[in-house]
Each structure stands twice: as structure tokens, then as C-alpha cells.
Amino acid sequence: MKKDKILVIGACGQIGVELTLALRKMYGEANVLASDLREEHDLLKGTGPYVSLDVMNKEMLHVLVIRHNITQIYLLAAILSATGEKNPLLAWHINMQSLLNVLDIAKEEHLDKVYWPSSIAVFGPNSPMQDTPQHTIIEPTTIYGISKFAGERWCEYYNHRYGVDVRSLRYPGLISYKSAPGGGTTDYAVEIFHEAKENKQYTSFLSENTYLPMMYMPDAIRATIELMEADASKISIRSAYNLSAMSFSPKEIAAEIKKHIPDFTISYEPDYRQQIADGWPNSMDDHLARKDWGWKHEYDLAKMTKDMLDNI
């Protein structure tokens, strides 16, 4: 077992639950401290230490890092795209200040590594929609995207200015059956599976031909760990790497589900989230992640659909 002590902040979220469990397998249960504002997730109970933590309280966070001899922090706490539009100032405050608290403590305590997730939300309607490049026009139109773009700049700044080894991925939409999504624009791609199994019908809040980059959670967890395990000399991007696996529309995922549930039907009632999705890429160019640290996705739409329906 490795000797690192890892703190996962936001461990009860969609990514946090599965990432915490994966890290505990690698580093040992006692060496991965899970934390969140909410009650401990059922899947985490009994698997390792858990503390209630408000990442906005920098002093408490700092004491926790020192007391537990933390060497790495994974900061997953955030207000996501659709939720953020309902209270933009709160989303900005939480998404920014939580990152600055962690980066500052990492600098002061000379932590080995920090992980912070970015998102395809950093792109906007003026970015190229197909195979969106790593370096391109970035003009986000949501407060979530704005905060993620600003966060990318802060990560790169702390790396270049203070030597903090901070790493990041621009996640596409993430799909999982283990933990619920948290108010994002791509949540339809999780909801649709539950509704297909329970009611054999789903009403999509995005239009039928809205293509978005997506990824199955096992790939996202593996990408995160592979990035963090990579030698620092291989990391050429200190803002956030583009990351890609597949792209599909509600119409295409519905057609794939119908192969398993023939009487499944879908209807479309686009809401305010459609405008958010329209400003995001249809597909991503992630060649730098593949070149720098050997990223390869495993799941396509067909393989993911089967696994989701088998496990829900």
C-alpha cells in the first residue's frame, strides 16, 4: 500500500462515492478520508473514515489537513450547471472559494498533489462544436462554466507560481447507476435509464438531436486516477485536460435502450437546460490526454447501456 493520506472533499456526490471507493482499494481504507457537508452515503458506510466538513471554512479545513497528515486532496464539491443558474452568486462563491481554500492550504503545507475537476461547461457557443480542441475560444455562458474556467486559470497559476502539483480534467457528462447526479445539464442520460426500467417511458428535457460528449463513470474514475498516478513530467496541461469517450443524442440513447426494452418510448419537452446544452460541444478532441498519460476509454454507448440496465 502507498503511504499517502488522501482527503476527498464532496465524497457523497456523483463522482465522489465511486472515486472514494476506488482510492480506498488502492491506498487502503484507513488512508482515504471521505468528507462532505451531507450525511455519509450508504455505499461509503463501513468502508473507511468519514468526517463532516464545510470546505468553505478554511481554518477547519486547514486543521483537518494537518491533524490527519493529508498529502493529497481531491476537491469534488461544487454547484453544477443547472442548479447554478438558479443562484449564480452562490454558485460562483462556493465553486471559487472552495478551490482557493484548497490551493492555498496545498501551497502552505506543501501537499504532494491536488485534484480538481473542470467540465465541458467551460466552452461556449463560439467554441468549435465538433472535436473541440484543447486550446480554443473559451467563452462560457453559464455561471458553472465561468467558475470552472476561472478555476482552470487559478490551478495553472498556483502550479506555475508556487509549484503546487494540481491536476484537472474537463469531464463530459457522466453516467452512473451507483450515485445520483447533482443538478447538471447532462442528467437526462442517467434519468432515462431509471425511467425506462420503472415506467418504460421518459420525457427528455433536451431535444432529440442534442449531441453532447458523455462518459460512463468507470471510465471517468479510471481517467482521474490515471492522471493523478502519472509522473509529473508527463503532465503538459496544468489548466485541465480535455477528456472524451463517446457522444450521443437523446434519440440515440433511446434507440439503444429499445434494443433491451422494446416497448420503451421517449418524448421531448426541452426546458431552460436546452439553452445551456446548445452552447456546449458535440464532441471533444482529447489527443493530449491520450498522448501525455495514455488515456483510453473502454465504454461506448452499447456497452454502457447494457451495463446500466443490468445494474439498475
Side-chain angles (χ1 to χ4, degrees):
M1 289 292 181
K2 303 177 181 184
K3 291 182 180 177
D4 289 276
K5 289 294 292 285
I6 296 172
L7 172 63
V8 181
I9 301 170
C12 296
Q14 188 191 17
I15 301 168
V17 171
E18 297 187 50
L19 183 58
T20 300
L21 294 172
L23 289 169
R24 283 176 172 167
K25 275 188 183 176
M26 286 181 64
Y27 287 91
E29 292 178 356
N31 295 321
V32 180
L33 177 61
S35 69
D36 208 306
L37 262 180
R38 52 194 142 172
E39 190 179 336
E40 186 176 13
H41 195 285
D42 286 345
L43 290 174
L44 294 180
K45 288 178 180 174
T47 70
Y50 183 85
V51 294
S52 178
L53 173 71
D54 181 1
V55 69
M56 303 298 281
N57 187 328
K58 187 181 178 184
E59 196 172 305
M60 272 183 60
L61 174 60
H62 204 156
V63 168
L64 188 76
V65 166
I66 294 169
R67 183 179 294 157
H68 290 270
N69 299 309
I70 298 298
T71 62
Q72 294 186 32
I73 295 179
Y74 287 71
L75 172 59
L76 306 173
I79 292 182
L80 302 185
S81 59
T83 306
E85 291 306 292
K86 296 173 184 174
N87 195 335
L89 292 179
L90 179 67
W92 169 261
H93 180 56
I94 289 176
N95 293 354
M96 276 294 90
Q97 196 58 52
S98 61
L99 175 60
L100 291 171
N101 287 352
V102 167
L103 289 175
D104 220 37
I105 291 168
K107 179 190 77 170
E108 289 181 42
E109 300 302 328
H110 305 287
L111 300 190
D112 291 346
K113 293 174 196 168
V114 172
Y115 179 77
W116 174 81
S118 189
S119 164
I120 59 169
V122 297
F123 300 110
N126 294 322
S127 307
M129 291 297 200
Q130 301 292 340
D131 295 324
T132 307
Q134 176 72 44
H135 301 289
T136 187
I137 296 168
I138 294 186
E139 295 174 351
T141 55
T142 64
I143 199 64
Y144 178 63
I146 292 166
S147 68
K148 286 298 183 185
F149 183 43
E152 288 186 8
R153 309 319 312 149
W154 277 115
C155 288
E156 190 170 80
Y157 181 81
Y158 266 78
N159 175 257
H160 290 169
R161 180 80 169 78
Y162 305 116
V164 176
D165 187 350
V166 57
R167 307 178 184 196
S168 181
L169 297 168
R170 289 172 179 157
Y171 286 128
L174 298 179
I175 300 166
S176 168
Y177 61 86
K178 288 186 181 176
S179 47
T185 302
T186 55
D187 286 0
Y188 90 87
V190 178
E191 294 171 359
I192 193 170
F193 287 104
H194 291 275
E195 292 297 316
K197 287 205 84 168
E198 292 169 22
N199 303 316
K200 297 185 179 177
Q201 194 280 329
Y202 178 64
T203 302
S204 172
F205 56 74
L206 298 182
S207 63
E208 62 179 355
N209 291 316
T210 303
Y211 281 84
L212 288 169
M214 296 284 190
M215 181 172 284
Y216 198 31
M217 190 61 80
D219 274 344
I221 299 302
R222 188 167 52 81
T224 305
I225 291 172
E226 285 177 4
L227 172 68
M228 288 294 278
E229 291 294 304
D231 190 273
S233 64
K234 293 183 177 178
I235 309 299
S236 70
I237 302 294
R238 289 295 182 170
S239 51
Y241 278 96
N242 279 7
L243 189 70
S244 181
M246 53 183 144
S247 291
F248 55 76
S249 64
K251 184 179 180 180
E252 286 184 350
I253 194 173
E256 197 63 41
I257 289 171
K258 279 177 75 72
K259 294 177 184 177
H260 302 267
I261 306 173
D263 49 352
F264 171 69
T265 61
I266 186 169
S267 56
Y268 303 93
E269 293 180 10
D271 64 13
Y272 68 98
R273 287 167 284 195
Q274 182 66 48
Q275 189 175 359
I276 297 174
D278 287 343
W280 288 359
N282 299 331
S283 59
M284 301 271 285
D285 173 2
D286 65 350
H287 79 277
L288 282 175
R290 295 173 189 269
K291 178 174 78 74
D292 286 0
W293 42 275
W295 164 242
K296 290 179 184 172
H297 69 279
E298 183 183 336
Y299 287 87
D300 60 12
L301 177 56
K303 187 174 181 182
M304 178 195 71
T305 298
K306 183 181 186 308
D307 199 61
M308 281 289 288
L309 293 174
D310 284 349
N311 283 286
I312 288 176

